[in-house]
Amino acid sequence: MAVETSTAFYDKTDEQKAITEMVRQFVDEQILPNAEHFDHEDEFPEAIVEQMKELGLFGVTIPEEYGGMGLDLTTYAMIVEELSRGWISISGVVNTHFIGSYLLMKFGSDEQKETFLPKMATGELRAAFSLSEPEVGSDVQGIKSTAKKLDDGNYEINGQKMWVTNGLRSGIVFVLVKTDPKADPRYKGMTCFITEKTAGEHENPGLRVPPQIKKMGYKGVESTELVYDGYVCPPERILGGEEAGVGQGFKQMMDALEVGRVNVAARGVGIAQRALELALRYSQERKAFGKPIAQHQAIQFKLADMATQIEAARLLTLKAARMKDAGQRSDLEAGMAKLLASETGRFCVEESFRIHGGYGYSKEYEIERLYRDAPLLLIGEGTSEIQRMVIGKKLLERNKI
């Protein structure tokens, strides 16, 4: 059951309409009927991912010269919303890959782009990126992983990374480490390396991938640790090259997180949209006190609040994406979009859960899965508390007196 929404203010191009309709059909036919199985078994949806490759979804934003579609962030956000409406784990498969391609497109050397982007566009090579560590989450400048330059010019990477989505199945990982632990301020001593590994292998030279972390939700897509222990990386694999890239890692990653927050916002809108669809359907089928519960004002108020918040979150998400596409500064808007959309996702899922009553607690109903998945958005790519800090600081920067 798809919910009708006004599109007058979204200004979708014909191309965007065609792509989002194609993805919605794919979600309805392939993802929604199978998501419960993969979630229950915590199984990677290999067949669905293969179809995503055929549809070109791994190369949406990669330029045509490298075999991608060359589409903008706004179109990508629309696609992510549709995928997340089906199952946010599916959007997780493409999200870290998208951030990796963004880092390459904006900061990579010509050689790095030519080496990786064509295979990334087809999905043959999938990417992950890594900031967090066991003792470091939001305070990125507190990372302890290091890269030391050796006498032969290569770098040796040591350290432990945490919460790496696609950590096992990725073929390259964009990893942030310290190349100058004594730098002041700390962020100037950080560098991003493109570390290559064998996709699906737990043991690589100097790099070990422990068994995936067991999670409450967000199943099917793996979240892993990465243990770098004497991993040797050539200087050519510093993002942007050694001369341009050393000490630039923090800025590069923060830039990527800005578009990543738009991505998470789109995921929040998608899961909220699905929660509303489920609530509308169930409330018209379930009867209490002699009539469908949808006819009770208490339920109508919930539906009204859900639909209103979704519209607001969607518009703010698209605004942030369009500003980024236009080359405008959008850090404030991206933070706002991520904050509102992730909280909207949580709110709508919980309201839908309440509307379902006791059945919402049963694994026979889809809302139970959404209830476990939604909290991820509150903490991924910056918690709601961090978003509020970012928004507050940016507001003061833009409005100095």
Side-chain angles (χ1 to χ4, degrees), residues 54-168:
E54 294 176 9
L55 293 173
L57 295 182
F58 287 95
V60 169
T61 58
I62 294 175
E64 293 181 4
E65 63 186 287
Y66 298 108
M69 295 186 188
L71 302 179
D72 56 18
L73 176 61
T74 303
T75 307
Y76 180 74
M78 294 175 180
I79 292 171
V80 169
E81 179 188 332
E82 295 294 343
L83 291 175
S84 301
R85 174 182 158 268
W87 186 25
I88 65 166
S89 292
I90 290 294
S91 64
V93 174
V94 296
N95 178 36
T96 55
H97 181 84
F98 156 73
I99 290 178
S101 63
Y102 176 85
L103 284 167
L104 272 176
M105 290 185 295
K106 185 159 186 179
F107 303 109
S109 65
D110 290 340
E111 182 271 333
Q112 290 168 353
K113 294 176 184 177
E114 292 166 3
T115 299
F116 297 117
L117 286 178
K119 291 182 179 179
M120 291 175 70
T122 63
E124 175 188 349
L125 177 68
R126 296 208 295 274
F129 79 105
S130 181
L131 299 174
S132 297
E133 297 182 1
E135 297 179 9
V136 178
S138 299
D139 180 17
V140 177
Q141 293 192 61
I143 62 172
K144 298 178 180 177
S145 298
T146 61
K148 180 181 179 181
K149 191 167 186 178
L150 304 174
D151 292 339
D152 62 4
N154 290 319
Y155 287 79
E156 180 183 296
I157 300 177
N158 291 283
Q160 186 177 0
K161 291 295 183 177
M162 193 74 172
W163 305 115
V164 185
T165 303
N166 295 321
L168 177 62

Side-chain angles (χ1 to χ4, degrees), residues 79-382:
I79 292 171
V80 169
E81 179 188 332
E82 295 294 343
L83 291 175
S84 301
R85 174 182 158 268
W87 186 25
I88 65 166
S89 292
I90 290 294
S91 64
V93 174
V94 296
N95 178 36
T96 55
H97 181 84
F98 156 73
I99 290 178
S101 63
Y102 176 85
L103 284 167
L104 272 176
M105 290 185 295
K106 185 159 186 179
F107 303 109
S109 65
D110 290 340
E111 182 271 333
Q112 290 168 353
K113 294 176 184 177
E114 292 166 3
T115 299
F116 297 117
L117 286 178
K119 291 182 179 179
M120 291 175 70
T122 63
E124 175 188 349
L125 177 68
R126 296 208 295 274
F129 79 105
S130 181
L131 299 174
S132 297
E133 297 182 1
E135 297 179 9
V136 178
S138 299
D139 180 17
V140 177
Q141 293 192 61
I143 62 172
K144 298 178 180 177
S145 298
T146 61
K148 180 181 179 181
K149 191 167 186 178
L150 304 174
D151 292 339
D152 62 4
N154 290 319
Y155 287 79
E156 180 183 296
I157 300 177
N158 291 283
Q160 186 177 0
K161 291 295 183 177
M162 193 74 172
W163 305 115
V164 185
T165 303
N166 295 321
L168 177 62
R169 290 177 173 84
S170 57
I172 56 173
V173 181
F174 293 80
V175 60
L176 184 67
V177 298
K178 286 187 174 181
T179 43
D180 182 5
K182 297 180 180 179
D184 185 21
R186 293 178 295 172
Y187 70 85
K188 290 188 175 181
M190 298 182 185
T191 302
C192 180
F193 285 81
I194 307 170
T195 57
E196 300 177 70
K197 66 185 189 64
T198 303
E201 291 292 330
H202 286 276
E203 298 290 340
N204 296 265
L207 174 57
R208 180 168 59 88
V209 186
Q212 69 182 61
I213 302 164
K214 294 187 180 300
K215 310 182 294 289
M216 174 177 71
Y218 198 42
K219 295 179 181 290
V221 57
E222 81 270 16
S223 301
T224 71
E225 297 176 63
L226 292 179
V227 181
Y228 289 88
D229 185 9
Y231 181 93
V232 177
C233 193
E236 294 78 28
R237 288 296 169 259
I238 292 174
L239 181 61
E242 187 172 29
E243 185 175 343
V246 171
Q248 298 301 308
F250 183 82
K251 291 182 179 180
Q252 293 167 343
M253 285 289 193
M254 291 305 104
D255 186 300
L257 281 182
E258 190 175 306
V259 295
R261 283 171 179 148
V262 172
N263 176 288
V264 174
R267 294 164 84 176
V269 175
I271 197 171
Q273 180 74 31
R274 185 57 181 167
L276 175 59
E277 292 172 8
L278 295 174
L280 285 166
R281 182 171 65 193
Y282 183 82
S283 65
Q284 294 177 78
E285 295 172 347
R286 173 71 168 173
K287 292 184 178 181
F289 305 104
K291 58 184 178 182
I293 62 173
Q295 294 182 22
H296 292 284
Q297 193 177 63
I299 300 300
Q300 292 178 10
F301 281 3
K302 290 182 181 296
L303 296 172
D305 287 343
M306 292 165 69
T308 302
Q309 289 196 29
I310 291 169
E311 287 292 299
R314 179 180 288 120
L315 288 168
L316 185 52
T317 299
L318 291 175
K319 177 185 178 181
R322 285 176 172 145
M323 288 180 69
K324 188 71 173 178
D325 286 331
Q328 299 174 15
R329 184 178 177 186
S330 60
D331 47 1
L332 174 62
E333 289 75 15
M336 287 178 168
K338 197 275 181 186
L339 173 63
L340 179 61
S342 60
E343 292 288 351
T344 294
R346 176 205 58 79
F347 172 79
C348 291
V349 166
E350 184 170 304
E351 290 297 272
S352 184
F353 175 85
R354 290 170 183 264
I355 288 172
H356 280 75
Y359 288 109
Y361 210 61
S362 167
K363 286 188 177 291
E364 294 181 20
Y365 282 74
E366 186 182 337
I367 191 63
E368 184 270 343
R369 169 171 59 82
L370 271 60
Y371 195 75
R372 289 183 287 106
D373 283 345
L376 169 74
L377 303 178
L378 302 175
I379 54 178
E381 310 228 0

